[in-house]
Amino acid sequence: MADVNLACVVGARPNFMKMAPVLRALESHAHVEAVLVHTGQHYDEKLSDVFFDELGMKRPDVCLDVGSGKHGVQTARILERFEAFLETGPPGAGCYDRVVVVGDVNSTMAASLAAIKLRVPVAHVEAGLRSFDRSMPEEINRIVTDAVSDLLFVSEPAGLENLRREGHPSEQLHLTGNVMIDTLMRLLPKARALSTLDRFGLEPGQYGVVTLHRPANVDAPETLAQWLDVLVETSGELPLVFPVHPRTKHRMEQFGQAERLDAAEQIVQLPPLGYLDFLAMTSQARVIITDSGGLQEESTALGIPCLTARPNTERPITVDEGTSTLVGNDPDRLRACLRDVLDGTYKRGSRPALWDGRAAERIARLLAETSQ
Ligand code: UD1
């Protein structure tokens, strides 16, 4: 029987690449047993299943099958089902010693709440990030999760400052680095050995990658149209590849904007890609245009210019030290930055401290030491 029983929770696409290295690093601590719980927030093959094999991650021990729904519905389902799971306890032992959550999706927050109400301590990986924009569901998820966690693993110094300001004592805070970059560094050689670019007729450094899925960018017809305008224009000079999130696809169809994009010959639209194909694409791109949180960090680690279609970021190091620029909701700012990239005058960044491929080792050690 294990001395330490952990319940590790994933739910949506960006969770998988963060949890995979933590689970891997925990394997070298023989007295720790980690059970993997998938809430089922993402359930499509392309948003979920494909990642487990590619990341070399064990299949979930338990799936809660919560599926999609309004925030309240989705959160409530996770609360109810994860509470029941925790009450059952680990096989052959009394109760879980700790719940481990990653990132900022609804599953992260709901699992933390269920745990703390049962007095199971919570560890949060990627703690302390704040956009100071409470209109983003992720910001609420981050605030609530950190408030109920007592072991906070932070990826950049701004996170430490935020948590101190919110009253967390220093002994709860650990600047451990960025687990998502652990995965990126481990799998980059494998990704670049794939024939992904050939398959889509792309030349290294001669195309841009686009991802857009945030409600603020895709849920209003005028906003979505203004971004599509820039993409169509840019594609005349630089071919673009655009793996389209289901939410965005649905909105483009609903607003009658899908045909416009279909007509742009130099924009390759794709379904959501697996981790390796996507990394093959991003790591050899000229520029990345995105509203994703994780991609701001990945492009900084890769040294690829990242034009972030958001007015703020919870990851300020990607702007201060890295390759990201916030273009807000201003298409002209995006156009100007694209010009700099194409003219070779865009800033160069550097990789932040502790984004060194070993963050999960540091986290696993702390989990093993402090969860008994
Ligand atoms: C969620 C996260 C977001 C993260 C994103 C990555 C929250 C609040 N948001 O947003 O932070 O950046 O994941 O993808 O947790 N859908 C499918 N198949 C699926 C899952 C969802 O088609 O497997 C569609 C459904 O129409 C669903 C919609 O996508 O209603 C939104 O899914 P949801 O999980 O609510 O949020 P995301 O927009 O994916």
Side-chain angles (χ1 to χ4, degrees):
M1 204 181 7
D3 297 336
V4 176
N5 285 286
L6 303 177
C8 300
V9 182
V10 291
R13 181 171 60 177
N15 288 165
F16 307 130
M17 40 293 237
K18 296 172 190 168
M19 190 59 88
V22 175
L23 291 174
R24 179 178 289 263
L26 282 170
E27 282 169 15
S28 46
H29 297 271
H31 67 294
V32 178
E33 181 69 34
V35 167
L36 180 60
V37 181
H38 189 339
T39 65
Q41 176 176 344
H42 282 177
Y43 44 84
D44 274 1
E45 212 270 320
K46 294 204 152 53
L47 288 184
S48 178
D49 294 10
V50 65
F51 293 97
F52 289 87
D53 294 337
E54 285 195 337
L55 298 172
M57 190 177 177
K58 71 167 171 171
R59 292 268 156 182
D61 298 292
V62 180
C63 187
L64 305 179
D65 292 322
V66 300
S68 298
K70 291 186 193 172
H71 286 266
V73 171
Q74 195 174 53
T75 304
R77 279 194 206 132
I78 300 170
L79 277 171
E80 197 175 348
R81 295 181 197 181
F82 190 59
E83 180 178 69
F85 161 82
L86 284 176
E87 278 174 337
T88 312
C95 54
Y96 286 97
D97 297 294
R98 187 171 276 287
V99 164
V100 182
V101 296
V102 293
D104 58 10
V105 302
N106 286 348
S107 299
T108 311
M109 179 198 68
S112 312
L113 268 184
I116 201 67
K117 292 273 182 163
L118 291 175
R119 304 214 186 159
V120 180
V122 181
H124 185 203
V125 177
E126 202 187 84
L129 299 181
R130 297 288 179 271
S131 65
F132 304 102
D133 174 359
R134 291 197 177 201
S135 69
M136 287 177 73
E138 293 82 359
E139 180 74 354
I140 307 299
N141 294 340
R142 290 188 280 260
I143 293 169
V144 174
T145 303
D146 286 341
V148 302
S149 299
D150 70 337
L151 194 48
L152 297 126
F153 299 122
V154 181
S155 54
E156 61 169 281
L160 286 180
E161 278 169 42
N162 294 332
L163 291 168
R164 283 197 194 109
R165 205 177 38 248
E166 290 173 18
H168 287 275
S170 325
E171 59 272 20
Q172 295 184 346
L173 312 183
H174 302 275
L175 184 62
T176 39
N178 192 321
V179 284
M180 209 177 46
I181 305 308
D182 291 7
T183 297
L184 181 145
M185 289 174 73
R186 184 170 72 85
L187 293 176
L188 188 58
K190 196 169 176 186
R192 293 188 73 146
L194 297 177
S195 57
T196 312
L197 266 52
D198 287 346
R199 262 193 284 141
F200 299 108
L202 302 166
E203 296 285 333
Q206 304 300 322
Y207 63 92
V209 172
V210 180
T211 81
L212 284 177
H213 74 284
R214 286 200 189 274
N217 281 325
V218 305
D219 280 1
E222 321 75 54
T223 316
L224 183 56
Q226 76 174 19
W227 293 129
L228 298 186
D229 284 344
V230 188
L231 299 183
V232 171
E233 257 168 63
T234 305
S235 69
E237 213 172 337
L238 185 73
L240 298 175
V241 22
F242 186 2
V244 187
H245 187 282
R247 170 194 284 279
T248 312
K249 185 171 164 40
H250 176 68
R251 293 299 186 213
M252 289 196 303
E253 283 162 4
Q254 182 188 355
F255 303 151
Q257 296 177 0
E259 292 76 17
R260 228 168 102 246
L261 210 60
D262 294 346
E265 283 175 13
Q266 295 281 62
I267 300 182
V268 184
Q269 290 179 70
L270 300 172
L273 294 172
Y275 184 80
L276 293 171
D277 273 336
F278 191 60
L279 182 56
M281 294 259 192
T282 53
S283 63
Q284 298 172 84
R286 177 84 154 266
V287 62
I288 294 168
I289 302 168
T290 191
D291 59 4
S292 147
L295 207 37
Q296 296 167 56
E297 296 182 337
E298 289 170 330
S299 50
T300 279
L302 292 164
I304 308 276
C306 180
L307 309 181
T308 304
R310 286 181 45 188
N312 51 48
T313 181
E314 60 288 341
R315 296 162 160 91
I317 207 164
T318 60
V319 175
D320 299 338
E321 291 183 22
T323 54
S324 173
T325 300
L326 299 177
V327 300
N329 54 9
D330 180 356
D332 288 332
R333 179 113 175 87
L334 175 56
R335 286 186 181 92
C337 288
L338 278 165
R339 195 67 268 146
D340 287 342
V341 170
L342 291 168
D343 292 347
T345 53
Y346 188 81
K347 69 171 174 177
R348 309 211 177 277
S350 58
R351 183 182 292 196
L354 297 178
W355 291 22
D356 59 356
R358 313 197 62 171
E361 281 172 37
R362 294 186 274 269
I363 288 171
R365 204 176 318 121
L366 286 158
L367 281 170
E369 282 167 9
T370 58
S371 303
Q372 314 214 33

